[in-house]
Amino acid sequence: MGAHKYRKLDEGNLASEDDIALQDGVTSKTAFLHESNGDTTKESGADDYRGLDSSSRRKPSIYWLMPFFTISSLAFGITAVPRMNLLVSLVCRQTLLQVQDMPTSSVAPRHGGSMGSSMGDTASNSTMGNSTEVVVGGYNPQCTTSEIESATALVTTWGNLIVGIIGAVMSSYLGRLSDRYGRVRLIAVNSIGLLLAECLLVVFASFPDVFSVSWMYLTFAVDGFCGSFVLLMALVSSYATDCTSEQDRNVALGWIHGSMFFGMAAGPALSSALSAWGGQQKPLMSYYYSLAMRVASVLYLALVPESLSRARLRSSKEHSEGRQRSSLFSRDRKTSWLSRIKSANPVQTLKDFLPVGPDSSRALRINMVVLMAVNVIIYGGAVGTMEVMLLYPQMAFKWGNAESGVFLSIINIFRAVASVLVLPLLVRIFRKRAPSPSSSSPPVRTGATALDITLIRLATLFDVFGFIFYALSPSGSLFTLSGALASFGAVGLATTEATLTKHVPLARTGELLGALSFLQALMRVVAPTTISLVYSLTVESNVPQAVFWGVAGGLAIAGGLSLVVKEGIKPPEEALGDETPTKDGGGSCGC
């Protein structure tokens, strides 16, 4: 072998140009060739990558992961509505047992109201029915009391806190691990955790005499420890980032979000059909189908090739050796527990993405902060208003479950169309007008492009007008049309994530999206709680539309922040030492 050239990486490690070229899985398009034996280098890169994926025909691509994520999203959507019915029935059953076991006079007030006011005599108790008459997971008219609703709200509030807090910490940590051990492995860990949580839920629902409602908190905890669906979204987006160029990244992440919205649209419809088929005799039918889908998706992962090459994984492990010595699960006995806890702090991970020093820039830090803020605000507006979107039309337009289900399906279908069809169409039109780069010149990191910034601003604008029209809609049909208009805001989530990945080294993509999922997990707790509280106060004041004006104001702030994002801001030069831009844009696979 001839003499090797070496380049210095961002943490002072030395690596040969062979390794740098290998880390993105380059086979026939190696960016940097060994001067004395370039052919040997290319063959070595191909062997290194094929050794990871077992077959050259199984080239990593977003198309491999689309079936998995579509099935996973459908499994999530099919249990979205039945999950609430299940919690209501379990809480109702336990409450009725407590009422039956205790004399009426000894029942203490709960949730700020007197149980005696609604169940204060034997006649009231007989009206509610016996606990054995409650169909777990089915429709129970005797459970529609304020006490049951209050107790159910308490369970869901604590459950969301458990999932949000645990999931926020774990999503950041597991996202960082995906850079070192591969995307597919961590996706499998997350999927198995979600499967286990749902298995526990079905077991607790099948044996309500053995397990009380308190056992449901265990399912929330398992959901949080595996990172919940938020982490799954981040890991799948990381896989798509590895497989696409910067130019195609918006489209790829749009497909990912479109798959999620498809699951959220088709899931409730499929759940309603299964509920009608199973009836009161088989109230858990939707969960059985969801479990089958989750098992199928986990088994399918065995066919999905890893998006990170061996050299790329090796490079990420070497870069994290310093942090590994002080990590939470470090085997080094000399490491103090204080250092371990600090290393697991997700806030510190966020600070790590705001580089300082001579090789960094203030514009880069501003872009990172603003893009994260815009993404979290858009996400909070979508997640926080889900409950209000069901409650408000029921009061204003007298909608029932059927009308609410149709409304959710329509807006999620429009969101899927915006992500899968409209976004790629806009990208194609913009590319035709933009000058194409020379084919002989190697691709470089571009940072945020004019198209990225324009799409983010348009998405927030459509979101703002959509929520304004929600507040002004005098009828259910116009309310639905407002939802269709606001659906284009879904493009903002995919675009902000794709633009963020252009500001960090490829070796830290998983860590970045894991840190972003930490913020989204926190918003999943804060946004619904805040918006629901505001809605409850405004309903009492006969101005329920005020909540939509408030969300529109928050989204307008996000749109204003997007004006600060600057075009063409790249990662620090020293951070680029661990990656070699390829013809495909820095990824190891094509889309």
Side-chain angles (χ1 to χ4, degrees):
M1 298 290 288
H4 288 262
K5 286 189 174 182
Y6 288 87
R7 290 170 61 186
K8 190 173 183 179
L9 302 182
D10 59 337
E11 294 190 12
N13 297 320
L14 294 179
S16 68
E17 290 186 348
D18 289 349
D19 288 340
I20 297 171
L22 293 180
Q23 63 191 352
D24 287 325
V26 181
T27 56
S28 61
K29 296 179 179 180
T30 306
F32 294 96
L33 301 180
H34 191 284
E35 290 184 349
S36 60
N37 54 353
D39 295 337
T40 305
T41 303
K42 278 199 294 186
E43 293 175 1
S44 175
D47 293 339
D48 187 48
Y49 197 75
R50 281 196 289 266
L52 181 65
D53 297 318
S54 304
S55 172
S56 59
R57 291 176 296 180
R58 293 175 58 212
K59 182 180 179 180
S61 169
I62 187 177
Y63 298 121
W64 279 103
L65 214 55
M66 288 296 292
F68 160 81
F69 192 65
T70 302
I71 296 173
S72 298
S73 300
L74 192 59
F76 177 79
I78 200 175
T79 59
V81 176
R83 185 180 298 271
M84 181 57 67
N85 295 334
L86 177 61
L87 282 175
V88 170
S89 60
L90 288 174
V91 171
C92 179
R93 192 177 189 280
Q94 180 165 306
T95 302
L96 291 179
L97 282 174
Q98 293 174 352
V99 172
Q100 292 167 9
D101 293 341
M102 298 173 62
T104 304
S105 58
S106 64
V107 177
R110 297 193 314 146
H111 306 297
S114 173
M115 289 285 283
S117 62
S118 61
M119 300 186 275
D121 50 36
T122 307
S124 297
N125 294 344
S126 62
T127 301
M128 288 189 65
N130 192 285
S131 63
T132 57
E133 298 174 358
V134 176
V135 179
V136 176
Y139 174 67
N140 301 279
Q142 70 272 31
C143 297
T144 57
T145 66
S146 59
E147 284 75 16
I148 302 300
E149 292 182 2
S150 178
T152 304
L154 186 64
V155 172
T156 55
T157 299
W158 281 108
N160 288 332
L161 283 174
I162 292 172
V163 174
I165 295 174
I166 298 178
V169 176
M170 293 305 298
S171 60
S172 176
Y173 179 73
L174 294 176
R176 191 187 312 164
L177 287 184
S178 72
D179 287 329
R180 293 159 48 194
Y181 298 102
R183 315 296 188 205
V184 177
R185 290 183 181 180
L186 270 297
I187 290 175
V189 169
N190 175 269
S191 301
I192 292 173
L194 294 175
L195 174 62
L196 176 59
E198 198 139 302
C199 286
L200 290 173
L201 187 145
V202 171
V203 171
F204 298 156
S206 301
F207 302 97
D209 295 326
V210 179
F211 302 99
S212 67
V213 176
S214 300
W215 282 95
M216 295 297 294
Y217 294 123
L218 179 60
T219 66
F220 289 114
V222 173
D223 192 354
F225 273 110
C226 71
S228 193
F229 190 80
V230 177
L231 176 65
L232 179 62
M233 189 78 186
L235 293 175
V236 173
S237 298
S238 299
Y239 188 101
T241 299
D242 298 332
C243 294
T244 53
S245 66
E246 291 192 352
Q247 292 180 336
D248 296 326
R249 201 162 294 166
N250 288 346
V251 176
L253 295 187
W255 288 350
I256 296 297
H257 285 80
S259 298
M260 178 185 68
F261 294 131
F262 170 78
M264 295 174 65
L270 182 57
S271 175
S272 299
L274 291 173
S275 298
W277 176 42
Q280 294 289 80
Q281 290 74 27
K282 299 179 180 179
L284 301 180
M285 180 68 70
S286 297
Y287 287 96
Y288 298 146
Y289 274 79
S290 176
L291 286 176
M293 292 178 184
R294 292 194 183 278
V295 171
S297 64
V298 171
L299 294 177
Y300 175 80
L301 284 175
L303 303 177
V304 178
E306 175 56 54
S307 62
L308 300 179
S309 67
R310 287 188 181 275
R312 174 93 170 265
L313 293 172
R314 184 169 59 248
S315 175
S316 296
K317 288 181 180 179
E318 291 173 354
H319 291 175
S320 61
E321 280 183 355
R323 281 181 287 180
Q324 176 68 14
R325 296 190 187 99
S326 60
S327 68
L328 181 62
F329 303 104
S330 174
R331 297 181 180 179
D332 190 355
R333 296 182 179 180
K334 297 181 180 180
T335 304
S336 65
W337 278 104
L338 181 60
S339 300
R340 296 170 188 260
I341 295 174
K342 287 182 178 180
S343 68
N345 182 8
V347 178
Q348 183 60 43
T349 302
L350 292 173
K351 291 181 180 179
D352 291 342
F353 285 106
L354 305 177
V356 294
D359 295 319
S360 181
S361 66
R362 183 170 179 265
L364 176 63
R365 294 191 291 273
I366 292 176
N367 271 18
M368 293 286 292
V369 171
V370 168
L371 288 171
M372 284 187 175
V374 171
N375 180 277
V376 170
I377 292 175
I378 296 176
Y379 181 82
V383 174
T385 56
M386 289 180 65
E387 184 176 347
V388 174
M389 289 297 182
L390 298 178
L391 295 177
Y392 175 77
Q394 289 178 4
M395 180 198 67
F397 314 124
K398 309 303 179 184
W399 280 5
N401 291 333
E403 291 84 355
S404 298
V406 170
F407 169 73
L408 288 178
S409 296
I410 288 176
I411 62 173
N412 283 308
I413 287 173
F414 272 93
R415 286 172 176 173
V417 170
S419 300
V420 176
L421 297 180
V422 177
L423 178 58
L425 180 62
L426 292 176
V427 172
R428 182 180 294 272
I429 293 174
F430 186 87
R431 280 187 183 173
K432 286 184 178 180
R433 296 182 178 181
S436 57
S438 175
S439 57
S440 59
S441 59
V444 295
R445 304 299 300 275
T446 61
T449 63
L451 175 62
D452 298 331
I453 299 173
T454 302
L455 287 174
I456 293 172
R457 293 171 182 172
L458 282 176
T460 54
L461 185 64
F462 273 87
D463 251 340
V464 168
F465 280 107
F467 276 92
I468 290 176
F469 290 146
Y470 277 141
L472 300 176
S473 296
S475 64
S477 58
L478 291 178
F479 190 82
T480 304
L481 288 176
S482 302
L485 176 66
S487 297
F488 186 79
V491 173
L493 282 175
T495 306
T496 50
E497 289 182 9
T499 308
L500 274 169
T501 61
K502 299 177 182 181
H503 290 77
V504 298
L506 291 177
R508 301 188 67 189
T509 301
E511 187 176 355
L512 168 68
L513 294 180
L516 185 62
S517 65
F518 160 72
L519 295 176
Q520 291 178 348
L522 291 181
M523 186 58 69
R524 181 182 172 184
V525 176
V526 175
T529 304
T530 304
I531 293 176
S532 297
L533 177 61
V534 172
Y535 179 72
S536 65
L537 296 175
T538 55
V539 165
E540 295 176 357
S541 304
N542 293 324
V543 283
Q545 303 91 344
V547 69
F548 297 119
W549 289 101
V551 175
L555 291 168
I557 293 175
L561 289 175
S562 66
L563 299 175
V564 181
V565 180
K566 294 184 178 180
E567 181 182 351
I569 305 299
K570 306 174 185 178
E573 289 298 327
E574 68 171 7
L576 297 176
D578 62 338
E579 56 191 90
T580 301
T582 67
K583 202 83 171 179
D584 295 329
S588 58
C589 43
C591 180

